[in-house]
Amino acid sequence: MATDVSVIERLPTGIPGFDHIANGGLPRGRTTLVSGTAGSAKTVFASQFLAAGVQLGEAGVFVTFEESPAALRRNMLGFGWNIAEWEEQGRWAFVDASPQADDELMIMGAYDLSALLARIEHAVRRVGATRVSMDSLGAIFNRLADTRVVRNELFRIVTSLKSMGLTAVITAERTHEYGDIGRYGVEEFVTDDVVILRNLLEEEKRRRTVEILKFRGTSHQKGGFPFTVIPGQGIVVIPLSAIELKQRSSNVRISSGSPELDRMCGGGFFRDSIILVSGATGTGKTLMSTTFMASGALRGERSLLFAFEESRDQLARNAIGWGVDFEQMEQDGLLRVVCNYPEVTGLEDQLISIQDEILRFRPQRVAIDSLSALERVSTIKGFREFVIGLTSFIKHQEMAGLYTSTTPTLLGGTSITEAHISTITDSIILLRYVELFGEMRRGLTVLKMRGSAHDKDIREFSIDGTGMHIGRPFRNISGILSGQFTHVAPSEIERLSALFRDEDNPLLPEG
């Protein structure tokens, strides 16, 4: 008979995003091993598990084998957790088993944890704890030479905590990101549940992930999920499995800021669409994002611009050159500009920051200029996860988003950004340079417009002090998108047209 996984009660950890991948939280009344290498945030996880419990009205006991309680109180203040205050209120207790300066390391054949377990039980009863964190096993088991003894003593700890009805987190060290779960090779076999924290180095870039390896007898999300550690918050997991295609869809159109581009798009962008504008440097991508936001301001809509290549003053100066007053828009509360270099922080932190800014400002339009700048500070997988998370968030807020992307070559070509996110955007607008008789011109085409008819022509456009002006299609040149230009004489165009003309049902007009 199959076991009903739903009968195992869950205890919400309170760690943002983690409870989703854990299908509700850690199994209540059991011990979870949290294993990771140095810098993977094991101590933060153990502390946040207790801190979130305190904030939910559940007292906790922290058993420390490495850092002193004073050091933990000081370090965790940066996350907004005032442990000293909670201790005074009887909601947090320490059991200090950390090494003292005058302690001598002794390797003993028979090691008894009875005294330690008695101290833990006393602390639990004193504050009425339901949660316990132990950080970390390695510090105490270093005193044991025999892995058989390690396994037996770990089993004693787990059994004792379970008999007290506690939900516990025990941290352990790993020497490698992949391989044995714990240093001694026995830790994962004694505990019911195992969570792995990784601090991966990929292409010279650090990236943290969390994976639930096992929840005995119950379900959980599979695979690794990115997370970050944010001052004032702690660990925030980014669960891509939480993304659902349930957002509502709108038929309402909004203006791009260019009447001719609106006509090319079948009447404008959809209210809840994501638009990708791709082109070489200098083709007018920032201008398009500027007119996009200015159009919203004319209608009383708020816009939020995230710029990763230019400063606020530089953007404002450029906008004035196109007849758009950013400073006036900001004074009217219709625009907010956030400028950061991508290298300042990781993509996971950028995503959380962008989401927070959107929730605070509540804009109707969001522009990211540019995604290519963010791409260079991440792996391909990390970048794609970032874009999926951001796109899903913007869509669920039912607002329009415009992303810009830079192609690597001046003439034609496809950007890596464009190739990796084109399927999750609703509209794609390509901007290209066109070399024509010794002169560089600009061309624009609507490559994709999901859910709407659109113009298929590649049209010439110009930029002046009033913005973008879209003109007539290029008719005597091909290979614009690829950058392999071929000029076709008017007589040759007429000859080719005649080949497809039928006397009774002409496909092409004459003349």
Side-chain angles (χ1 to χ4, degrees), residues 122-137:
H122 173 72
V124 166
R125 290 179 176 173
R126 179 164 57 85
V127 298
T130 57
R131 303 185 182 208
V132 169
S133 288
M134 302 180 71
D135 183 49
S136 83
L137 289 178

Side-chain angles (χ1 to χ4, degrees), residues 290-475:
T290 299
T291 55
F292 174 69
M293 293 180 293
S295 174
L298 290 174
R299 292 159 178 79
E301 298 175 349
R302 290 188 300 278
S303 297
L304 182 56
L305 170 62
F306 295 95
F308 298 100
E309 293 180 319
E310 297 178 275
S311 68
R312 179 191 169 280
D313 289 344
Q314 189 175 359
L315 288 166
R317 182 201 64 192
N318 295 343
I320 282 290
W322 298 317
V324 178
D325 192 340
F326 268 12
E327 291 190 359
Q328 186 60 52
M329 290 168 62
E330 288 180 310
Q331 291 174 13
D332 294 339
L334 298 175
L335 175 68
R336 176 165 168 72
V337 180
V338 179
C339 300
N340 283 308
Y341 272 117
E343 287 79 6
V344 170
T345 185
L347 279 193
E348 292 80 15
D349 293 45
Q350 293 282 11
L351 178 59
I352 300 300
S353 175
I354 290 172
Q355 290 176 342
D356 289 344
E357 290 285 355
I358 289 174
L359 291 175
R360 278 195 296 267
F361 192 62
R362 306 301 303 178
Q364 283 79 42
R365 303 185 182 205
V366 175
I368 309 291
D369 187 27
S370 76
L371 284 181
S372 302
L374 294 169
E375 180 188 348
R376 68 174 182 254
V377 299
S378 174
T379 62
I380 292 176
K381 180 180 179 181
F383 176 71
R384 184 170 177 82
E385 289 177 346
F386 166 83
V387 175
I388 291 173
L390 176 61
T391 299
S392 174
F393 181 80
I394 291 176
K395 279 184 166 290
H396 278 281
Q397 302 301 313
E398 298 180 23
M399 58 184 62
L402 187 145
Y403 306 157
T404 69
S405 163
T406 303
T407 54
T409 58
L410 288 179
L411 301 176
T414 301
S415 71
I416 298 175
T417 305
E418 183 183 313
H420 282 279
I421 71 170
S422 59
T423 57
I424 59 176
T425 55
D426 300 301
S427 305
I428 299 177
I429 297 172
L430 300 183
L431 307 179
R432 293 290 187 261
Y433 283 116
V434 181
E435 183 183 359
L436 194 59
F437 304 116
E439 182 182 358
M440 292 296 283
R441 301 186 184 180
R442 295 182 176 95
L444 176 152
T445 187
V446 179
L447 185 66
K448 170 185 175 182
M449 189 75 189
R450 186 174 286 162
S452 173
H454 60 89
D455 193 319
K456 307 298 192 300
D457 289 328
I458 302 176
R459 294 179 176 268
E460 184 176 2
F461 73 94
S462 60
I463 298 174
D464 61 20
T466 59
M468 174 185 290
H469 304 281
I470 300 175
R472 301 179 63 182
F474 289 99
R475 290 303 188 199

Side-chain angles (χ1 to χ4, degrees), residues 186-338:
V186 299
E187 295 92 330
E188 68 270 27
F189 301 109
V190 177
T191 55
D192 296 313
D193 313 312
V194 177
V195 174
I196 300 176
L197 303 180
R198 294 188 174 95
N199 188 21
L200 301 167
L201 180 62
E202 300 176 348
E203 300 175 15
E204 300 183 359
K205 303 174 182 73
R206 284 287 177 188
R207 181 169 178 265
R208 289 188 172 110
T209 64
V210 55
E211 177 186 3
I212 298 174
L213 185 65
K214 74 169 182 177
F215 272 3
R216 187 170 290 163
T218 188
S219 63
H220 59 86
Q221 302 288 330
K222 307 299 190 297
F225 297 87
F227 77 91
T228 185
V229 180
I230 299 178
Q233 289 184 255
I235 291 175
V236 177
V237 179
I238 304 170
L240 295 179
S241 60
I243 296 175
E244 298 177 323
L245 291 173
K246 293 183 179 180
Q247 63 268 16
R248 291 183 293 181
S249 185
S250 172
N251 289 321
V252 176
R253 302 267 188 166
I254 61 173
S255 175
S256 65
S258 167
E260 185 57 35
L261 180 57
D262 290 344
R263 284 191 289 272
M264 292 181 67
C265 293
F269 303 140
F270 286 116
R271 159 65 64 193
D272 53 2
S273 62
I274 301 295
I275 305 101
L276 174 65
V277 179
S278 176
T281 179
T283 50
K285 300 183 300 297
T286 301
L287 168 59
M288 283 199 65
S289 64
T290 299
T291 55
F292 174 69
M293 293 180 293
S295 174
L298 290 174
R299 292 159 178 79
E301 298 175 349
R302 290 188 300 278
S303 297
L304 182 56
L305 170 62
F306 295 95
F308 298 100
E309 293 180 319
E310 297 178 275
S311 68
R312 179 191 169 280
D313 289 344
Q314 189 175 359
L315 288 166
R317 182 201 64 192
N318 295 343
I320 282 290
W322 298 317
V324 178
D325 192 340
F326 268 12
E327 291 190 359
Q328 186 60 52
M329 290 168 62
E330 288 180 310
Q331 291 174 13
D332 294 339
L334 298 175
L335 175 68
R336 176 165 168 72
V337 180
V338 179

